[in-house]
Amino acid sequence: MLNLVLFGPPGAGKGTQSENLIKKYQLTHISTGDLFRKHLGEGTELGKLAQKYMDQGNLVPDDVVIGMVEDKIKDHLDGKGFIFDGFPRTVAQAESLDKMLSEHGLSISLMVSLEVPEDELRTRIKERAKTSGRVDDQDDDKITNRIQVYQKETTPVAAYYKDQSKFHGIHGVGTISGIFDKICSVVDTHK
Ligand code: AMP
């Protein structure tokens, strides 16, 4: 199995690149943001719980996220692998993910981190806001908070995978297909 963590700040292009990677490597996509938005749209209890965190750009508590991911992993163990998009976002989530996978004899193959300067992130999120309908894309304070939360709570996750020699940084500015080619060459070398 190829189990890939696609990492990077909000607006780095994780969702866009995930779509291409899923097709090429036939992976199961686990995007915690998308899963929460689905719950939100369906008005589930989980969606209601997540909404107050999401609307402000704060992280949903670890136990909620981890439980949701665990269910999804269990449902797709017969596939070719997973692409984790927007997860793990804390070191506690990364540790839980390793534990969940090892219970099924699996592990993370590699992490690809999309590196994009902050001004470019803001430009992209504002562009996306025109069509995404996402409350958290709409105003500067929320975008600033998401970037700060990423820097404070999520960047330590990169060090976690560096310690396991699984971290690969990629410059995430350029054409979508150019960045995709760079990701694929890293994946093909390290899978
Ligand atoms: P995203 O679509 O990945 O930008 O996620 C949108 C929002 O969902 C985030 O700002 C968080 O509020 C929540 N969220 C998504 N993934 C996670 C996660 N792994 N841990 C905590 N909160 C998350």
Side-chain angles (χ1 to χ4, degrees):
M1 266 195 172
L2 166 61
N3 297 315
L4 172 67
V5 174
L6 190 58
F7 189 73
K14 301 186 294 297
T16 305
Q17 295 298 340
S18 287
E19 283 176 28
N20 296 331
L21 290 163
I22 293 155
K23 282 188 209 133
K24 177 162 169 140
Y25 297 101
Q26 290 152 16
L27 303 174
T28 300
H29 188 204
I30 301 191
S31 159
T32 43
D34 285 353
L35 289 171
F36 283 131
R37 279 184 288 277
K38 188 161 182 284
H39 277 280
L40 228 122
E42 291 168 356
T44 67
E45 286 307 312
L46 182 61
K48 284 178 204 155
L49 192 156
Q51 182 164 24
K52 57 179 184 283
Y53 298 98
M54 294 175 76
D55 284 355
Q56 299 307 316
N58 293 322
L59 295 185
V60 178
D62 284 337
D63 54 339
V64 177
V65 188
I66 290 162
M68 186 175 72
V69 171
E70 188 160 30
D71 290 344
K72 187 95 180 160
I73 290 176
K74 282 186 188 149
D75 286 346
H76 293 88
L77 286 167
D78 51 352
K80 296 211 168 162
F82 296 96
I83 176 161
F84 297 97
D85 162 5
F87 178 88
R89 257 177 158 100
T90 63
V91 171
Q93 290 179 17
E95 287 168 349
S96 293
L97 178 60
D98 274 350
K99 195 158 162 277
M100 287 188 267
L101 290 174
S102 75
E103 280 164 10
H104 301 288
L106 302 172
S107 60
I108 290 298
S109 315
L110 74 161
M111 164 189 264
V112 172
S113 172
L114 296 174
E115 285 156 12
V116 177
E118 188 171 326
D119 54 348
E120 173 74 14
L121 296 174
R122 288 177 180 278
T123 307
R124 289 186 190 178
I125 294 172
K126 282 185 181 163
E127 190 55 35
R128 182 171 72 186
K130 293 177 189 164
T131 54
S132 71
R134 286 177 54 168
V135 175
D136 59 347
D137 281 349
Q138 303 297 329
D139 79 64
D140 281 332
D141 288 348
K142 285 177 186 166
I143 296 169
T144 300
N145 189 42
R146 284 160 70 200
I147 293 171
Q148 282 174 353
V149 166
Y150 173 81
Q151 281 159 354
K152 187 162 167 268
E153 300 185 50
T154 304
T155 52
V157 176
Y160 179 86
Y161 288 98
K162 276 181 192 160
D163 284 348
Q164 297 186 11
S165 307
K166 291 179 178 173
F167 175 91
H168 302 274
I170 283 183
H171 184 56
V173 181
T175 63
I176 291 172
S177 65
I179 297 164
F180 180 61
D181 289 346
K182 285 194 279 182
I183 298 174
C184 292
S185 82
V186 170
V187 170
D188 292 337
T189 315
H190 299 279
K191 68 182 176 190

